[in-house]
Amino acid sequence: MKKRFWINFVLVVTAICIPGCKKKTPTPTEPEAKPEAKEARVMSANEEPFGQTADGREVTLYTLTNTNGLRARITNYGAILVSLEVPDRDGNLADITLGFDALDGYLAVHPYFGATVGRYANRIGKARFVLDGVEYELAANDGENHLHGGNKGFDKVVWRPEDLWANDNEALLKMSYISEDGEEGYPGNLACTVTYTLTKDDELKISYEAEADKTTVVNLTNHSYFNLAGQGHGDILGHELTLNADRYTPVDEGLIPTGEIRSVKDSPMDFTSPMSIGSRIKQVIGGYDHNYVLNSGGGTLALAARVYEPTTGRVMEIHTIEPGVQLYTGNFLDGTLTGKGGKVYKKHYAFCLETQHFPDSPNKSNFPSVVLQPGQKYTSVTEHKFSTR
Ligand code: BGC
């Protein structure tokens, strides 16, 4: 079984990579080919060294740029989105994600800035679950619970670059990681890929694929901390948020869902029409840190959230095939971390919208299943579309 898995994995990776791994050169599309392109802005995908891990592994920083000047920088350490520059209504670019200028910041303890989170995003209660009658014990790294994949989740491993290229429509970076059977307590070898694609239409797409050789659970997401006014530029309480979700999953004091799926109606959880994040945040103990049940039900790409920042006019729309999204309002940021450009990150200086399956699903039979069987393919797609008004 194990052998067949590895053979399949090699075949799949080879099939996917052969055209791409020729590395359709990480150089920009030729400007001469597009004489009409103003200011020689072209779609491009480049790489440069980003430093070394403690055990001496070289890490790379990749830059994807589109013709409107949007720029995403990603490292293969943790498959982390390091920065994302987007224009405001006057065309001024600003980096709208929290993080660090150098690799060192990411190697130290930080709250998953920009990271690819797995094997299971968010919490699993009491760090255990039962699958096919077998109980699996996971790393308990959040009190008695398991959070974001454990002590060494997908955010703390070096991903293998598979593909880096740009054409006239998009710039793309694909990376892979093989999580071994038993890693952080999870069953089965899991071969995963994450692909970042920046399009000419100002979208940053993040998609994931995974296959396992044993029945396991999977839930991958990106943990970017956004501030549409610019990273480190005050709190996000004035951002206007709309969520395409009539319901959410209430949690206990350990932030584990109780299993109830509750209507947001007549409560501070209601973002079904545009509402500033800060307008009712004081009524929510600790601030927002909740999974919303998307009206789409998951499975098809549908609008999950829209965020508008009034002073700069920046708008971010999130579409996903996931059934849920975690709204987290940076409640645990406390000014102890200094990030990019020397900015100090204080409480509510960013929000996260982590598209996902619901927290603790392995222990909640009424939640959409997160079980991946051998022979099945896990896929997840989320698109962030940027505009101004
Ligand atoms: C969780 C928070 C947690 C944060 C950083 C979010 O996804 O919901 O509770 O503090 O990640 O780890």
Side-chain angles (χ1 to χ4, degrees), residues 352-363:
C352 303
L353 284 167
E354 303 149 62
T355 53
Q356 60 184 6
H357 272 58
F358 309 168
D360 203 31
S361 294
N363 295 310

Side-chain angles (χ1 to χ4, degrees), residues 34-165:
K34 288 182 72 190
E36 75 283 7
K38 288 181 220 127
E39 301 159 13
R41 272 186 173 168
V42 290
M43 304 294 298
S44 66
N46 295 302
E47 61 185 302
E48 63 192 282
F50 197 42
Q52 274 189 356
T53 60
D55 58 356
R57 295 188 64 186
E58 296 292 338
V59 171
T60 305
L61 183 65
Y62 301 90
T63 304
L64 308 179
T65 312
N66 84 355
T67 37
N68 300 322
L70 274 80
R71 191 158 74 136
R73 293 190 309 154
I74 301 138
T75 174
N76 61 324
Y77 178 74
I80 290 170
L81 178 63
V82 170
S83 65
L84 182 59
E85 287 160 76
V86 304
D88 66 8
R89 60 165 78 90
D90 299 319
N92 300 313
L93 291 172
D95 179 2
I96 56 156
T97 62
L98 274 53
F100 303 103
D101 289 315
L103 180 62
D104 288 2
Y106 294 104
L107 297 177
V109 177
H110 72 97
Y112 304 88
F113 287 145
T116 293
V117 176
R119 185 179 299 198
Y120 196 92
N122 213 285
R123 293 177 174 79
I124 297 181
K126 300 206 165 48
R128 61 188 65 230
F129 63 93
V130 176
L131 206 52
D132 294 337
V134 179
E135 184 172 68
Y136 293 95
E137 204 175 312
L138 305 171
N141 61 326
D142 187 53
E144 60 174 3
N145 302 320
H146 178 85
L147 175 67
H148 293 329
N151 294 317
K152 191 174 179 189
F154 290 7
D155 59 297
K156 296 181 190 70
V157 300
V158 177
W159 290 65
R160 193 181 119 138
E162 298 288 353
D163 229 346
L164 178 70
W165 52 260

Side-chain angles (χ1 to χ4, degrees), residues 20 92 120 126 185 187 207 214 244 265-266 293 300 319 321 330 341 357 381 389:
N92 300 313
Y120 196 92
K126 300 206 165 48
S207 54
K214 257 192 210 170
N244 190 11
K265 212 168 177 324
D266 302 323
V293 177
T300 52
H319 286 77
I321 67 167
H357 272 58
V381 180
R389 65 175 207 243

Side-chain angles (χ1 to χ4, degrees), residues 111-112 122-123 147-148 223 225 255 289 326 328 332 354:
Y112 304 88
N122 213 285
R123 293 177 174 79
L147 175 67
H148 293 329
H223 206 303
Y225 284 67
L255 297 176
D289 195 353
Q326 184 84 10
Y328 171 60
F332 300 117
E354 303 149 62

Side-chain angles (χ1 to χ4, degrees), residues 19-40:
C21 281
K22 284 184 208 133
K23 288 221 164 144
K24 295 179 197 161
T25 46
T27 50
T29 323
E30 289 296 305
E32 303 87 273
K34 288 182 72 190
E36 75 283 7
K38 288 181 220 127
E39 301 159 13

